[in-house]
Amino acid sequence: MVLLFKNVLKMKKVRYKKYLFFIGLIVLSFIPLFDLLHPGLPITHDGQDHVARIANFYQNLKEGNIIPRWAPNLNWGYGHPILMFLYPLPSYLASLFHFFGFSLVDSVKLVFGISFILSAVAMHLFTKELLNDEKAAFLASLLYVIAPYRFVDLYVRGAVGEHVAFIFPPLIFYFLLKLSKKFSKWYLLGGSLSLAGLILSHNAISLMFFPLFFLYIIYLVWGSKDRKYLILNTFYLILLGLGLSAFFFIPAFMEGKYTLRDIVTSGGEYKASFVIWKDFFYSTWSYGGTLAFSKQIGMMHWIGIFSSVIATYYLYKNKNKLWMVSLGGFLIFWITLFLMTSASATIWQSITLLQKFQFPWRFLSLTVFLSALLGAIGLQLFNGKHKTAFLLILTVALLLVNKDYWHANGFLQKQESFYSGIYNGTTDTGESAPIWSVRFMEKRAKANMEVIAGDARIRGIKRTSTSHKYKIIATERSRIRENTLYFPGWDVFVNGNKADVEFQDSLNRGLITFFVEKGENDVYIKFNETKLRLVADIITAATLAVVVSYLAFGLKKKYNPRDEKEK
């Protein structure tokens, strides 16, 4: 009996130790988020604009628009198509919190905070599976979240899209790795959802990580015993991920030609944003603009990066295939640094796709991931108590070195109506504005609709984000201007008939104008899905149906005890 009791205690102790580092990781991940508990919105470059965008996004959802594409209150009330080109996942998440009663500001702060913690969990899952080492996974996760650039995104830039995107690269790597070892519908679907999540979180970051994913897939296929099977399952994973996110990225890519999307890159703005090599090692912390804030990798991160070189040698010597991951990660890390410096200017000039990223320092998102992974591999040099001691020293040093970076530079205190009402700006630099319009409107319109020629009386009936109804009584044929920016999808119906719309008049540039005949006119203006958007929606709906059916079919399978024995 005593022996049994001792065995039970021993089992509980082992189980406790198993989750000790994971629990510690969660606790430590909360520390940098304390400033989010302060009332108000942290003062950042883009934070206020993100809240205004999400207010417009939520308004669409509330009105029944499942896929919000039009921001009715932005651009001084003339509306804006920015939601069509802006990564929607952060807005969906914030809208969910807002639906449950949180203010718009608190909803955004919740997205920041939860994303921060989930990214640590995701990194822990991947590195634990890759290295089969709880301590190394703990270090990788901590390096992943306690990195200077993460706090630039959180408290300097307020880049909610990039922040949410950090959740998904480790998850994609995790599910790819699991799928290479054993097929499971959960790994396939988990990987597909993670890929879709990354695409829906941030356009540029997803493009940056794609080459890394494909290199890792090649590595997994090379080491697989059943290569054809893995290639096929990986293809399904990618296909499902692209299908689930098609409603966003297809219109965003294809209809971008109607916007001024190249206005921020055509002038070579990237040239002014190259990073000086010394700034990767240390740069003064600042809440300033693009050229001022810190681009440092992190002092503790550099220790992990250089220690991975020695670890790579020992892994190779011991015939451990992870030496390829370590060496590849190390080389890609330095290539990434090179792409952020002026030495790569010729490459940026030749490969115009890079210019779409706007700022070379965006590649810091890749360095955060790679440096965390290399740091975990570097820890493999230690064993037993030495590993625990070194991990403890690194953890304390990491927190102490970065403690001054996880604070806000002040807080905005504004009424909810400031974000949900008419917003005097587009929340971007004009790149989402239609090519036939002015880059920014400069003042609010006198009314939603005006008579610009002829004589008529206008009475508003109903107005939502994507539909406007009026009654117009004209004493003569009159020209009417709807003070809404035109973009493909806007249609005007007069007395049930589709009217001709003019939107390139130099005197009413970019705005919807049309004619009504003498008499009483029922006018209905509606923002519809174009054929392209409809096809994209159908692709996503069909993919979602496949996923749901696949899950339902799997759950209907009867439990067979023999299957458990075979496992």
Side-chain angles (χ1 to χ4, degrees):
M1 189 70 179
V2 175
L3 184 61
L4 178 63
F5 181 70
K6 286 183 177 179
N7 287 335
V8 170
L9 287 177
K10 188 175 181 181
M11 289 173 63
K12 286 186 176 180
K13 189 176 181 180
V14 170
R15 195 175 301 167
Y16 171 75
K17 283 186 175 181
K18 182 180 179 181
Y19 296 105
L20 180 63
F21 285 101
F22 182 75
I23 294 170
L25 174 66
I26 300 298
V27 171
L28 292 178
S29 297
F30 269 102
I31 295 175
L33 304 176
F34 284 163
D35 269 22
L36 295 181
L37 300 176
H38 190 285
L41 181 71
I43 297 173
T44 58
H45 301 170
D46 301 330
Q48 175 179 299
D49 288 339
H50 280 302
V51 179
R53 293 171 184 172
I54 289 167
N56 281 262
F57 194 94
Y58 181 78
Q59 182 176 326
N60 272 270
L61 291 174
K62 192 176 179 180
E63 293 168 356
N65 300 319
I66 299 174
I67 304 176
R69 301 193 190 276
W70 187 258
N73 297 325
L74 298 187
N75 199 23
W76 297 81
Y78 288 90
H80 208 264
I82 189 171
L83 299 184
M84 192 178 306
F85 308 101
L86 183 74
Y87 31 85
L89 184 58
S91 297
Y92 277 116
L93 296 174
S95 295
L96 179 64
F97 292 127
H98 190 48
F99 175 77
F100 284 111
F102 293 96
S103 70
L104 286 167
V105 168
D106 287 343
S107 297
V108 172
K109 291 198 291 185
L110 277 168
V111 171
F112 271 114
I114 292 173
S115 299
F116 189 81
I117 295 168
L118 287 180
S119 67
V121 173
M123 194 64 177
H124 185 275
L125 276 175
F126 169 55
T127 46
K128 176 68 164 56
E129 185 67 29
L130 179 69
L131 303 174
N132 193 28
D133 186 333
E134 190 72 43
K135 294 174 183 177
F138 173 83
L139 178 61
S141 304
L142 210 56
L143 289 170
Y144 194 52
V145 292
I146 311 296
Y149 186 65
R150 296 298 303 272
F151 301 127
V152 168
D153 268 357
L154 179 57
Y155 289 121
V156 179
R157 296 179 59 222
V160 67
E162 281 193 30
H163 207 71
V164 173
F166 273 105
I167 300 170
F168 299 105
L171 285 180
I172 295 171
F173 282 111
Y174 169 76
F175 286 116
L176 285 171
L177 181 57
K178 295 291 285 186
L179 203 58
S180 70
K181 295 178 179 180
K182 177 186 175 183
F183 174 78
S184 167
K185 65 177 181 294
W186 301 111
Y187 303 152
L188 178 62
L189 295 178
S192 301
L193 290 170
S194 298
L195 178 60
L198 179 61
I199 295 171
L200 298 176
S201 295
H202 201 281
N203 322 33
I205 301 303
S206 58
L207 287 175
M208 285 180 186
F209 272 94
F210 280 169
L212 205 59
F213 296 146
F214 283 114
L215 287 174
Y216 190 64
I217 289 169
I218 292 171
Y219 164 76
L220 292 176
V221 169
W222 176 82
S224 175
K225 295 180 181 178
D226 194 345
R227 295 178 182 178
K228 291 183 179 179
Y229 196 60
L230 179 57
I231 291 173
L232 188 63
N233 286 322
T234 302
F235 174 74
Y236 289 149
L237 185 155
I238 295 171
L239 195 64
L240 288 173
L242 293 177
L244 290 170
S245 56
F247 75 92
F248 164 66
F249 79 81
I250 291 179
F253 177 74
M254 299 298 291
E255 295 191 347
K257 63 185 177 182
Y258 301 126
T259 69
L260 299 170
R261 62 183 176 187
D262 294 328
I263 200 168
V264 294
T265 57
S266 58
E269 186 176 354
Y270 66 90
K271 296 177 183 177
S273 301
F274 282 123
V275 183
I276 302 172
W277 276 101
K278 73 172 184 63
D279 288 346
F280 292 131
F281 295 92
Y282 178 76
S283 53
T284 304
W285 189 256
S286 170
Y287 293 93
T290 297
L291 303 178
F293 63 72
S294 176
K295 281 85 176 179
Q296 61 183 306
I297 304 300
M299 294 175 64
M300 297 302 107
H301 295 72
W302 278 114
I303 293 174
I305 291 162
F306 288 122
S307 64
S308 71
V309 177
I310 304 172
T312 302
Y313 170 75
Y314 280 107
L315 289 170
Y316 175 76
K317 189 176 180 181
N318 294 322
K319 298 181 180 181
N320 188 326
K321 291 180 181 179
L322 280 175
W323 74 267
M324 287 182 283
V325 174
S326 183
L327 179 61
F330 185 78
L331 294 175
I332 295 170
F333 173 81
W334 286 99
I335 292 171
T336 303
L337 293 189
F338 171 75
L339 288 173
M340 287 188 277
T341 66
S342 58
S344 65
T346 304
I347 297 174
W348 280 79
Q349 190 172 359
S350 303
I351 305 175
T352 55
L353 178 63
L354 288 174
Q355 297 176 24
K356 306 299 181 185
F357 298 152
Q358 192 176 357
F359 306 113
W361 47 255
R362 283 192 189 275
F363 278 100
L364 285 168
S365 296
L366 271 178
T367 64
V368 168
F369 176 81
L370 292 170
S371 61
L373 177 60
L374 292 172
I377 292 174
L379 192 64
Q380 303 300 299
L381 292 171
F382 299 88
N383 293 310
K385 293 181 179 179
H386 295 293
K387 178 182 285 190
T388 303
F390 189 67
L391 177 60
L392 180 61
I393 293 170
L394 275 178
T395 300
V396 173
L398 186 66
L399 295 172
L400 290 176
V401 169
N402 292 279
K403 65 180 176 62
D404 295 329
Y405 304 155
W406 59 58
H407 298 290
N409 191 34
F411 297 87
L412 287 174
Q413 304 288 347
K414 293 183 180 293
Q415 296 293 324
E416 192 93 339
S417 58
F418 173 81
Y419 303 104
S420 59
I422 300 299
Y423 193 77
N424 297 341
T426 61
T427 72
D428 69 353
T429 55
E431 68 268 23
S432 301
I435 54 177
W436 45 76
S437 72
V438 294
R439 190 171 176 182
F440 307 104
M441 292 299 183
E442 296 179 351
K443 60 181 180 179
R444 301 186 184 189
K446 295 179 180 179
N448 292 326
M449 181 177 279
E450 297 179 81
V451 179
I452 55 177
D455 182 51
R457 288 186 293 110
I458 301 170
R459 180 166 63 91
I461 304 297
K462 185 179 180 181
R463 187 179 183 87
T464 67
S465 299
T466 56
S467 67
H468 312 152
K469 290 183 179 181
Y470 302 92
K471 177 77 73 174
I472 300 179
I473 302 174
T475 57
E476 60 179 317
R477 189 171 189 264
S478 303
R479 190 180 181 198
I480 308 297
R481 181 179 70 209
E482 161 73 12
N483 286 316
T484 294
L485 209 61
Y486 177 79
F487 200 77
W490 279 113
D491 292 315
V492 177
F493 299 90
V494 179
N495 296 323
N497 299 314
K498 191 173 181 179
D500 293 327
V501 173
E502 172 59 50
F503 54 88
Q504 299 190 65
D505 179 356
S506 60
L507 297 178
N508 303 282
R509 192 175 169 190
L511 299 177
I512 297 172
T513 66
F514 59 95
F515 285 93
V516 295
E517 301 300 327
K518 179 181 178 180
E520 189 172 298
N521 298 275
D522 292 316
V523 177
Y524 180 51
I525 303 175
K526 175 69 175 173
F527 187 66
N528 298 300
E529 294 285 66
T530 59
K531 290 181 179 179
L532 177 71
R533 291 174 215 157
L534 189 58
V535 169
D537 294 345
I538 291 171
I539 291 173
T540 294
T543 307
L544 189 59
V546 169
V547 170
V548 173
S549 300
Y550 187 41
L551 283 173
F553 176 77
L555 292 173
K556 282 184 179 180
K557 277 189 172 183
K558 292 183 178 180
Y559 172 74
N560 188 350
R562 187 178 300 173
D563 293 339
E564 289 296 324
K565 291 180 180 179
E566 289 177 359
K567 290 179 184 179

